[in-house]
Structure formats: structure tokens, C-alpha cells
């Protein structure tokens, strides 16, 4: 499979990619973004048909460096560097 030089990665060779996972706290609404680029944490994706309030709501892998910041209108902005 062709591996893009940049952007989101949809293949299966993920060892050299960085994982970004988004969690939303159901109690207080806080957003947490986990960035995993080594073997210090395990990536545990949610199971299909199982509702887990602590599971990732969205995730992606990329070879790019990604910066997150809040915009003036309260939206989360993501910049691929």
C-alpha cells in the first residue's frame, strides 16, 4: 500500500507513526488529546457496538508533527507542520 509523505495515514504499518486520540470526559466536558509516539503507552481503540464513556471518540495516525490550539471562537484548531 502506498504510504503518503504527509497527512493522515490509513494503512497498517503504524510503527513509525504518531497516534493522536481524542477523549471527551462525560462528567465535566473536558477534552483530552493523547499523543503516543513510542512504546510508553498502549493504544486501545474502542470495541464496535460497545459504549465506553472513557474510550477514544476519534483518533488518527500521522507521520507529520501536529499542533493543536484553541481558536478565538472556541474551536479546536489543528495544524500539520
Amino acid at each position: 500500500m502506498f504510504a503518503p509523505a504527509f497527512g493522515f495515514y490509513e494503512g497498517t504499518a503504524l510503527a513509525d507513526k504518531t497516534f493522536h486520540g481524542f477523549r471527551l470526559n462525560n462528567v465535566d466536558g473536558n477534552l483530552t488529546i493523547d499523543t503516543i509516539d513510542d512504546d510508553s503507552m498502549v493504544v486501545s481503540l474502542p470495541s464496535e457496538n460497545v459504549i465506553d464513556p472513557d474510550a477514544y471518540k476519534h483518533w488518527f495516525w500521522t507521520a507529520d508533527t501536529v499542533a493543536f490550539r484553541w481558536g478565538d471562537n472556541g474551536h479546536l484548531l489543528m495544524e500539520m507542520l
Side-chain angles (χ1 to χ4, degrees):
M1 172 173 221
F2 172 74
F6 56 89
F8 299 121
Y9 184 70
E10 297 180 12
T12 57
L14 301 172
D16 62 341
K17 308 300 183 284
T18 300
F19 172 83
H20 299 275
F22 297 78
R23 296 180 196 267
L24 186 62
N25 185 309
N26 290 355
V27 176
D28 60 17
N30 284 329
L31 174 69
T32 302
I33 303 171
D34 293 337
T35 300
I36 304 171
D37 60 359
D38 57 21
D39 62 357
S40 64
M41 292 177 61
V42 174
V43 174
S44 180
L45 299 179
S47 299
E48 289 186 31
N49 302 321
V50 176
I51 298 173
D52 179 357
D54 297 321
Y56 292 113
K57 305 301 185 222
H58 188 73
W59 59 89
F60 65 92
W61 279 268
T62 183
D64 295 328
T65 301
V66 179
F68 297 98
R69 65 182 173 87
W70 293 106
D72 294 335
N73 58 2
H75 293 174
L76 178 64
L77 304 176
M78 180 178 86
E79 181 179 8
M80 299 181 92
L81 307 174

